[in-house]
Amino acid sequence: MRVGMPVLSLRSRLIGCILLVLAASLAVGSAMALRNASRLVAAELDATLEVAAQTVRDGIDDFANEPDHAQAARRLVAGFDGDRHATATLLDRAGNTLARSSLHPPTEVVPGWFRSLLAPSPARVRFDLPDGGAIVLAADPLNELAERWSELGDSLRQLGLFFVLAAAAVLWITQRALRPLHQLARALERIEAGDYAAHVEVRGPPEIGRLAATFNRMATQLATTEALNARLHLQLLNLQEEERADLARDLHDDIGPFLFAVNVHAAGIGKLAETGRTEEIAAQVRAIHDAVGHMQGHVKAILGRLRPARPEAFGLGEAIDGLVAFWRHRHPDIAFVANSTLEEEALDETAKETIYRLVQESLTNAVRHGRPQRIEVALARDPSGAARLRVADDGRGAAVPAQGVGFGLAGMRERVAALGGQLAVESGPQGGWTVTASLPTAASPLVAP
Ligand SMILES: Nc1ncnc2c1ncn2[C@@H]1O[C@H](COP(=O)(O)OP(=O)(O)OP(=O)(O)O)[C@@H](O)[C@H]1O
Ligand SMILES: [Mg+2]
């Protein structure tokens, strides 16, 4: 925005532009009208002078029948009294004025600028009389200019009226047309303040109607996304709670008994030492060793859960093995089979992270929802060069749910789509659940549909 320039609203600019065009047309129209009027005045005066000259010529010709020429000449000049455009003057031999006809008084007062702009150069015709005198005819534009001035006034009044009506119409139309935009601005402010229920009425011209409809769709979409985020947040909090409760249970169940055992054995050793049965102490010490060994195993498993192997730290194969080992430890009744023939160099870090997350969610889902006996994880390169991940279980299966049931499937779809890959989820009629993902690799930048 330029500093110092007044910022005009769209409405003011529209009205200003239209008024400017109207004013320019008015100016051009007036200039043309003046030019035309000037031509008309000149033509009218020429014609008048011509007719008057003919009258004088005829009068002088008739002098032959007149006994008193001087009287006849005065009558001829007086005949022009009240003429609108010409005056006749009778001169004697010496050039003195003997008589002059009077001009019809003009009905309008013509401003000086109008007269100097339109009045043609003065035209005169002189007729010599037999007695040496003369009759001089002169064209006077005053009456003609008064007529034109009056006509111009009428035209300007009409144009002015048109001007005012047009400006009022423009004002009304722009006000109506821009009203939806004001509504839209107010709704946007509500959205900015976090009120996604803000909607606008779809009306007005088609362009603005389309804008309003698109805005409403956007607001609905934002509201849906906001609700989804809120659910996700809640679920994250619940997950955290579950995870902590799980951990507390594990510590209690897995470590507590062994700590108790260590305590008992330590007390036993004390008693054996007091009573002098030292040969039995070795067995107690072994029992303490065993208990500590068990506790170390459990603590390692808990640490493994708290800090799972990540692909970027250990390599994808090892990270997947870590996931499988985690579940195998918790569900020894399920047969886990993991197999990878894919060279990891073909995958970038994002692809590895994505595959890791897909395996993590698929294994969790299989154990949680499928109750399977066997889960297979296979990672390979398909003929097109794309990386293909398949996680299949032989559990009870389920119809693939619509979106919005959980976040796992939606998250998997989003991650795969972000890489330009494809995800398929299938559940057979006899049960079982299979997740297959194809991801682009360095060897196959685009995944075939
Ligand atoms: N291996 C599976 N066997 C049977 N049903 C499954 C399997 N995987 C997913 N489902 C079904 O698909 C639904 C959606 O799975 P999704 O992972 O999106 O959500 P969730 O596991 O219920 O919750 P979340 O993953 O958000 O914690 C599950 O509720 C379940 O009904
Ligand atoms: Mg899930």
Side-chain angles (χ1 to χ4, degrees), residues 226-246:
E226 170 84 354
L228 203 70
N229 273 346
R231 258 184 70 196
L232 191 60
H233 188 65
L234 203 70
Q235 191 159 25
L236 268 177
L237 290 178
N238 287 342
L239 267 180
Q240 255 177 19
E241 290 297 315
E242 270 176 32
E243 186 71 26
R244 282 185 195 157
D246 224 19

Side-chain angles (χ1 to χ4, degrees), residues 181-194:
L181 282 186
H182 293 308
Q183 271 187 17
L184 214 56
R186 275 197 297 278
L188 276 170
E189 280 164 10
R190 282 177 61 191
I191 294 263
E192 191 186 19

Side-chain angles (χ1 to χ4, degrees), residues 284-357:
Q284 298 289 338
V285 170
R286 267 198 308 280
I288 289 179
H289 261 299
D290 285 352
V292 169
H294 274 107
M295 283 193 285
Q296 278 174 335
H298 286 309
V299 167
K300 208 168 153 198
I302 290 170
L303 287 179
R305 264 176 60 203
L306 289 175
R307 251 179 182 221
R310 299 290 299 270
E312 59 272 28
F314 300 96
L316 183 59
E318 209 167 321
I320 292 177
D321 286 346
L323 283 175
V324 169
F326 167 79
W327 284 112
R328 192 180 278 139
H329 176 72
R330 309 202 105 210
H331 292 274
D333 50 319
I334 301 176
F336 288 90
V337 182
N339 180 26
S340 172
T341 56
L342 182 76
E343 326 79 62
E344 289 182 25
E345 301 74 55
L347 299 168
D348 61 16
E349 290 309 316
T350 326
K352 284 184 198 170
E353 168 84 18
T354 302
I355 291 175
Y356 175 78
R357 293 290 176 204

